[in-house]
Amino acid sequence: MQPPDLLMIPGPTPLPDVVRTALGQPAMGHRSPEFKAILEDVLPGLQWAFKTEHPVLLYTASGTGAMEASLVNTLNPGDRVLALCCGIFSNRWADIGRLIGLDVTCITVPEGQANTVASLQQALHDDLSHPPAQRYKAVMLTHSETSTGVLNPLKELVRCIKAHGALSIVDAVTSLGAAEFAMDDWGIDLAVSGSQKGFMLPPGLAFLAVGPKAWEAHKQCKNPGYYFNFTKTKKAQAIFTTPYTPSTPLIIALQAALTLMKKEGLPAIVARHATLQGMVRAGLTQMGFSLMVPNDDIASPSVTSVYPMAHLSAPDLRAQLKQRFKITVADGQGVLKGKIFRVGHLGYISERDVLTTLEAIKRLV
Ligand SMILES: Cc1ncc(COP(=O)(O)O)c(C=O)c1O
């Protein structure tokens, strides 16, 4: 007997049946009226998900593409920027920034900790000693740091950035559709996400919500690139098309996913993730595991990082889970590779999936 694989990783997440059916639809021309009608539904749907009245740009790319697009389109080489670093993905902001010639300063906390309002406030206060033209133009930060399972206090961090006047550029890749997130109410200037996470789709679409201040910055940007160019994408999307050939099957499936998400409702989606997170944290703690993020207040609702027990290494636990139960949990990344395992509880995941995973782990330890 071969039960289907259970993917308990923080993306790509399992696919709902309606999404899989949508992915199997006959090919559709991307300039056809049928496809235009899908974009007329999907683009406002993305605004609903980000809780924004401003345009959400849709790219055929992964989340990293949207991260690069956001910096390339709003900043110029030599601009000073601040990156809040707490793991692999938040470090990526600094890496991309340096590569495109930004003058990047990092505030780095050890793995498993969240970036704090106090250290951000201090850095932004110190920045005021620079003449206005040389102050930080942007602060890049990550809501849910997937490599460690930390949820940063985004609302509070963005409030500080707003008071300083820099652009807030937010990675919401594993927080959108899982954690509370409110682009406009929280005053976020630019936020990125991807399809294979809370949207329950395969990888391949990137979403980029752009607020008015980010549009102003874009106007000052000397080389916004070609494929990811905000102006080209906005202009095309205004008439419900795309500048280049998009991934039509993924966008058709996005319509199905958004319909499902709207039916559940954002508050219920956030509540479901909180429940799953609580079950995973409580279940593993009861078994004797130590969590990498013991503080519930800064724990991501998408993924839980766990230290293995002395008698069963993380690679062995992962291998046995896969072999015996066809359940996949994620490895650690970077310096944490092989040292922790990460249980994803993101997207199309139910209480039954979590209970199955917990019981399977229990039988191995
Ligand atoms: C928080 C976060 N940011 C960025 C990315 C990069 O996204 P992608 O792998 O889709 O390029 C990921 C991927 O897992 C992520 O979890």
Side-chain angles (χ1 to χ4, degrees):
M1 226 272 284
Q2 285 289 312
D5 277 35
L6 178 53
L7 264 189
M8 296 296 287
I9 62 174
T13 69
L15 304 177
D17 285 348
V18 287
V19 166
R20 293 202 300 167
T21 306
L23 286 167
Q25 293 304 302
M28 194 182 280
H30 64 293
R31 304 292 179 215
S32 66
E34 295 85 351
F35 191 67
K36 184 170 184 253
I38 290 175
L39 284 176
E40 280 170 358
D41 188 30
V42 150
L43 294 175
L46 289 172
Q47 289 175 299
W48 167 84
F50 277 91
K51 294 196 183 160
T52 183
E53 289 181 350
H54 305 298
V56 179
L57 307 180
L58 174 57
Y59 293 106
T60 297
S62 80
T64 308
M67 291 172 78
E68 180 167 344
S70 62
L71 301 191
V72 166
N73 272 279
T74 55
L75 296 159
N76 287 304
D79 281 350
R80 290 181 63 244
V81 296
L82 188 61
L84 303 190
C85 298
C86 57
I88 295 271
F89 293 106
S90 41
N91 291 347
R92 191 168 292 178
W93 278 129
D95 292 345
I96 299 171
R98 287 195 191 99
L99 196 79
I100 64 166
L102 304 179
D103 180 354
V104 183
T105 302
C106 294
I107 303 180
T108 304
V109 294
E111 276 93 5
Q113 292 183 24
N115 294 111
T116 64
V117 170
S119 60
L120 174 64
Q121 255 169 350
Q122 185 63 53
L124 295 179
H125 175 77
D126 294 349
D127 188 48
L128 298 179
S129 63
H130 288 88
Q134 285 163 31
R135 289 181 192 158
Y136 292 130
K137 289 265 168 28
V139 180
M140 293 97 79
L141 64 163
T142 303
H143 194 188
S144 161
E145 172 51 71
T146 321
S147 66
T148 60
V150 159
L151 188 77
N152 279 308
L154 182 61
K155 187 177 171 183
E156 293 74 17
L157 293 168
V158 169
R159 197 180 293 143
C160 296
I161 300 167
K162 220 174 164 48
H164 167 277
L167 278 182
S168 51
I169 302 185
V170 174
D171 172 341
V173 171
T174 51
S175 63
L176 203 67
E180 200 192 337
F181 183 92
M183 169 99 180
D184 290 357
D185 281 359
W186 295 358
I188 297 166
D189 296 311
L190 208 159
V192 303
S193 198
S195 53
Q196 76 275 25
K197 310 286 184 177
F199 288 87
M200 308 174 287
L201 292 166
L205 292 180
F207 317 124
L208 215 155
V210 190
K213 204 159 128 190
W215 281 111
E216 282 309 308
H218 174 63
K219 285 186 198 151
Q220 311 303 320
C221 181
K222 295 191 182 75
N223 184 10
Y226 194 89
Y227 183 74
F228 287 119
N229 189 299
F230 279 8
T231 304
K232 282 178 193 280
T233 307
K234 185 185 182 189
K235 205 171 145 206
Q237 286 189 189
I239 51 166
F240 300 105
T241 187
T242 56
Y244 318 108
T245 315
S247 172
T248 45
L250 285 177
I251 293 173
I252 295 168
L254 174 60
Q255 187 182 35
L258 281 167
T259 304
L260 208 60
M261 289 171 80
K262 283 181 189 163
K263 202 166 159 203
E264 187 175 2
L266 285 174
I269 291 174
V270 170
R272 173 167 55 84
H273 282 84
T275 301
L276 302 179
Q277 175 202 38
M279 287 169 68
V280 169
R281 290 173 68 80
L284 291 172
T285 308
Q286 275 159 22
M287 281 180 235
F289 285 103
S290 301
L291 305 179
M292 190 170 182
V293 183
N295 180 353
D296 289 341
D297 294 341
I298 57 158
S300 170
S302 327
V303 58
T304 297
S305 293
V306 191
Y307 292 110
M309 290 182 183
H311 66 280
L312 183 64
S313 73
D316 284 348
L317 180 139
R318 291 182 56 247
Q320 288 185 38
L321 264 184
K322 173 87 177 162
Q323 213 179 357
R324 251 183 91 183
F325 300 108
K326 293 190 79 185
I327 297 174
T328 304
V329 297
D331 195 358
Q333 293 172 289
V335 291
L336 296 170
K337 193 169 173 57
K339 301 216 170 76
I340 58 166
F341 64 96
R342 294 175 301 142
V343 181
H345 28 85
L346 172 61
Y348 191 54
I349 296 288
S350 66
E351 290 187 30
R352 185 178 58 183
D353 300 326
V354 167
L355 290 174
T356 306
T357 306
L358 289 173
E359 181 59 29
I361 293 175
K362 205 181 205 173
R363 288 177 188 213
L364 299 179
V365 295

